[in-house]
Amino acid sequence: MPCEEVTYMKQRLELKVNGQTYEVLVDPWQSLADVLREELGFTGVKVSCNSGNCGSCTVLLDGKAVKSCIMFAPLAKGKEILTIEGLATESGLHPLQEAFIEHFAVQCGYCTPGMILMAKALLDENLDATEDEIREGLVGNLCRCTGYVKIVEAIMAAKEKMKVTSSH
Amino acid sequence: MAGHSVVGKSIIRLDALDKVTGKAKYCEDLKLPGMLYGKVLRSPYPHAHITSIDTSRAENISGVRAVITGRDVPEKRYGPSVFDQHTLARRVVRYVGDPVAAVAADSVEVAERALGLLKVEYEKLPAIFDIEEAWEKNPPVIVHRDLPKYELGKFPPLRLVPDRPNVCHLRMLRHGDVERGFKEADLIVENKFTTTRIQHCPFEPHGSIAQAESDGSLTIWAGRQSIFLARQYLCKLFDLLPSQVRVIASHYIGGGFGSKVTLYTEPIGVMLSMKTGRPVKLTFSREEMFSSGGTRIPFVIRIRDGVKKDGTLVARDMEMLLGMGAYAGSGPLITRNCIYGAVATYRIPNAKIDAYAVYTNEPPVTSFRGFGSSQVLWAIESQMDVIAEELGLDAVELRRKNLLEEGDTNITGEIVHSIGIRECLDKVAESLEGSPKSKMEGGPWRRGKGLALGNKYSMAPTAAVAIVKVKGDGTIEVHESADEIGQGCHTVLAQIAAEEFGVSVDEVKMVWGDTAFTPYFSRGSTSQRTTFNVGNAIRLACQDAKRQIFEIAAEKVHAQIQDMDIKDGAIYVRSDPSQRISVTELFTSERALSPGEFGDYVEPSAEILGKGVWVTRPAPSDPETAQIPENVARMGGRLAGFFGYGVQGVEVLVNIETGEVKVEKVVAASDVGYPLNPKMCEQQIEGGVAMGIGSALWEEVALDKGKVVNPNFGNYKIVTSINMPKIENVKVFLVSAPHKEGPYGAKGTGETQMTPTAPAVANAIYNAVGVRIKDLPITRERVFRVLREKAGG
């Protein structure tokens, strides 16, 4: 039987999201996804399964992909959080964003932010990733609309663009 | 098609930029001032009486604003066809997940805590889960004792079967004389096939925000398919007029696949909002999606075919039981329409089909991409390979021999039009030809290939209206009510408007669905009807607007209206294009407006309004036989809006030691009428193939005494990136058999695509290892078991 009155203290938490610092009051059990979406308005962070199985909520923490729906928000303290809203820069869209548009890798769009961020983590780690390695890397990011064909195509194309940029 | 500048081209999706930058807003992203969060308490039993509910402890929690139970909801039942469901169970629960009570609170967390404090006492009742047992004449359990007294909807007209008390609809087709057909047959093949429950898994779960307004009207923001159907259902449930219910499409919708047609969250949200006066957001958890968000209908299919030695089909008899679960939802309509899957592909002189909608105490089903055709084709296309094998014929040749052609009469009496299936079959067969039918691979792996034919109608009647506004700045603003569920409807519809005006899609602005502002679209983006119906309405609306523009322009350039055309924002005379005037110039007054004077100019802030109405009407057919009268058919009377066709071939690897199956290659050809946006057609095909592979090999909402035991992606496996063949092994062909009424010949294509996948996989497995699996999904356990039996026997 759950107890009727739960007493707890909200915690003051400083989060660095897309290069800016935010101060929020959070419940100790709140997930990072919940805080990003509901407290800070980063609704590009999508929650679909809320159990760490689908990857829609993927964000980058110091460049590493995490599933923000199963991570307590306080654990992100002191880390650089990147959400989809922070991926484009003043000079334009990220090559992955461009490639997802040009290669028709987007349908309903609910998995897209997590998919793009996962792909970024993969390519930042290994710009020579093969199709098989990309597929292995995306296995925790599910998509119900596309069959992954155009997603993988887009990532392969973005990879080539990113290689050119990184060699300059 | 020649001469088109915008349609027929893979224009970049208008929604892509919003979606890759995180700016796209979905229902789940919306927040209204004062908004509360709703949560639902659900039955833990498959069948029980509710003896008492104590809400007092939940009501006393700080932050809880309302608790409602069956006592608070309308006595009236609702449903799309059988009015069999209360908003919250009043006395009886009929499945594990049946809504019993609901809470509105300041936060989701408080609402969930309150649910834990609701005390409900039940008296358990015997439950029934087996579809065939439930269908029997004296079933041990009757799910809806009062079914004969329930109100029945008008679409479709329902036929109860008095001595089968769990049947809520029987659909019959009679064509020719099936017994005579079997007498003429050289071979009779009979088999039983089954399909299981699968969930749509749209990535955005069901959700809505409901606001009960102070004047008694309702405003709903909904992430759903068909805002007008929602309005119709809510009016019926709450005794309101259409003008009193406003349903607003919450911009983007995170996938549908048929699941978002039914009311799931809206009625409970409305009740909570009525009680609190505040907007209430109600969103399903992923677990609720599996237990209470609707699944595809499980079918039990007995199919008996009579064939001549040369492979000519002479008779087909099908008996199908469709498990509705506890509430019928759109199940009776699927029971009516699923037979069309058996209608569209083959020439059959004698046919008989009976399809029964059967209640059980399992979770309710709903419409699912394919709307019954996938399940029917699972049986038919598996059976075609069985027949070919028994006759010693090639499976492709057997199909070719029996294919319907343009102008043929199908088993409903309809005269076939726009059928590109032969070309699809040729393309797939040719593409698969290089690989052997079966082959040993390394170690325990065996390779095999197989194919299957698919089809999917688009339902009629359908009514679609579009308004096109030409603005003073030259912008073409299109108002329509299609649902952007991920299929990209607004891009294709914008292409149509752009084509009509000779401009680029950048000049076209699409306005989102809102029943208060955008025009009627009877059943919304369901039954792959949007491109065909809304597309036509937009063409008509554009033509109406252009007629008005030409009238004004003709006077200005002193030309005849019929000589005028429009391109790139300018109206010109066809015979002398130097005589021209820009659209914006039409909006410039040449002289002061005197009262009541209109005609040769419009003011700069005005707009020219075009309207288009498109209605697709079905022919009347005999309720006892599903036959369209011959004279009606000759006059063009039709069963449905159109049929889309698709053929798919796959190559699989089967592990004879473990039963594991890998899909190595897919070839898919689809008759889309005319590809308005080829890349977006490919999107539908690839996505349909993926969903089809999942349904073939893994997907099953597993139930234990009516309770879902795998309600999340951890153990309900959808296709992942490593389950799909590599890019170079997915081949897609677009085939065009133009439809005389389709916009530029186009037909819808979203649903057709998964109809052939599962039987193609099963046929490939048979060709690889010689075992025929007749039940979906073809799990490795099933393959392993049948392989063992084969080896042992």
Side-chain angles (χ1 to χ4, degrees), chain B residues 22-73:
Chain B
K23 290 196 177 72
K25 291 283 181 277
Y26 301 77
C27 189
E28 184 56 3
D29 301 328
L30 305 182
K31 271 186 188 173
L32 297 178
M35 189 173 84
L36 300 172
Y37 297 84
K39 276 284 156 190
V40 179
L41 183 73
R42 299 181 177 280
S43 166
Y45 301 117
H47 201 189
H49 275 297
I50 299 171
T51 55
S52 72
I53 304 183
D54 179 0
T55 59
S56 55
R57 293 177 74 205
E59 279 165 345
N60 287 335
I61 294 190
S62 155
V64 170
R65 304 300 165 195
V67 180
I68 58 169
T69 70
R71 289 189 298 268
D72 302 298
V73 304

Side-chain angles (χ1 to χ4, degrees), chain A residues 11-15 22-26 35 73-77:
Chain A
Q11 298 182 10
R12 187 171 297 281
L13 178 64
E14 206 176 89
L15 290 178
Y22 297 84
E23 222 180 68
V24 278
L25 281 177
V26 304
V35 171
L75 296 176
K77 195 176 164 181

Side-chain angles (χ1 to χ4, degrees), chain B residues 349-556:
Chain B
N350 307 290
K352 169 174 176 273
I353 306 177
D354 288 327
Y356 294 86
V358 185
Y359 284 121
T360 66
N361 290 112
E362 293 190 331
V365 295
T366 191
S367 38
F368 191 114
R369 189 181 211 171
F371 212 66
S373 293
S374 304
Q375 296 95 317
V376 170
L377 287 160
W378 160 243
I380 289 175
E381 290 300 311
S382 297
Q383 175 91 341
M384 291 303 279
D385 263 38
V386 175
I387 293 170
E389 170 99 7
E390 293 208 15
L391 288 175
L393 297 174
D394 177 73
V396 174
E397 287 313 315
L398 174 77
R399 287 177 170 87
R400 281 199 180 115
K401 191 170 191 62
N402 290 288
L403 278 185
L404 283 166
E405 302 278 353
E406 180 83 21
D408 278 352
T409 301
N410 68 29
I411 58 171
T412 66
E414 182 188 43
I415 295 170
V416 173
H417 169 59
S418 174
I419 179 163
I421 198 162
R422 186 175 292 273
E423 193 181 339
C424 291
L425 179 57
D426 291 347
K427 289 246 187 312
V428 170
E430 187 189 344
S431 184
L432 277 185
E433 211 154 70
S435 45
K437 189 174 170 186
S438 62
K439 188 170 148 227
M440 298 273 282
E441 291 284 316
W445 294 98
R446 301 289 179 273
R447 185 178 290 269
K449 62 178 177 173
L451 58 71
L453 277 47
N455 71 72
K456 174 66 177 59
Y457 62 91
S458 175
M459 213 189 299
T462 296
V465 185
I467 304 282
V468 167
K469 294 181 179 180
V470 181
K471 304 273 186 179
D473 60 7
T475 304
I476 316 295
E477 192 177 274
V478 181
H479 296 229
E480 41 74 31
S481 298
D483 311 301
E484 180 51 90
I485 47 176
Q487 83 283 46
C489 58
H490 287 129
T491 304
V492 167
L493 296 175
Q495 283 180 262
I496 291 174
E499 183 70 40
E500 291 295 317
F501 278 95
V503 296
S504 79
V505 286
D506 304 335
E507 315 290 319
V508 179
K509 184 178 185 310
M510 303 303 287
V511 175
W512 297 85
D514 177 340
T515 60
F517 295 106
T518 55
Y520 186 63
F521 182 19
S522 54
R523 298 179 78 87
S525 293
T526 62
S527 202
Q528 59 183 14
R529 53 159 58 88
T530 303
T531 297
F532 187 90
N533 291 283
V534 182
N536 272 321
I538 289 174
R539 285 192 86 178
L540 294 173
C542 290
Q543 286 161 18
D544 185 31
K546 284 197 293 189
R547 181 186 50 76
Q548 297 172 55
I549 286 171
F550 293 162
E551 273 175 21
I552 304 169
E555 200 167 310
K556 294 204 176 218

Side-chain angles (χ1 to χ4, degrees), chain A residues 34-105:
Chain A
D34 195 43
V35 171
L36 288 170
R37 283 180 54 82
E38 303 300 326
E39 313 295 336
L40 299 178
F42 292 103
T43 53
V45 180
K46 293 284 173 255
V47 175
S48 179
C49 72
N50 211 16
S51 58
N53 282 300
C54 76
S56 299
C57 65
T58 301
V59 299
L60 302 191
L61 239 58
D62 288 343
K64 299 268 183 259
V66 298
K67 290 177 174 175
S68 63
C69 79
I70 49 166
M71 178 176 194
F72 290 123
L75 296 176
K77 195 176 164 181
K79 314 256 189 199
E80 296 274 351
I81 303 168
L82 181 71
T83 73
I84 193 71
E85 287 92 342
L87 187 57
T89 61
E90 276 174 16
S91 55
L93 295 177
H94 188 275
L96 277 161
Q97 291 172 308
E98 284 176 352
F100 268 59
I101 294 174
E102 286 164 14
H103 289 264
F104 290 78

Side-chain angles (χ1 to χ4, degrees), chain B residues 762-773:
Chain B
N763 292 339
I765 292 171
Y766 181 84
N767 290 333
V769 293
V771 298
R772 169 67 53 192
I773 309 287

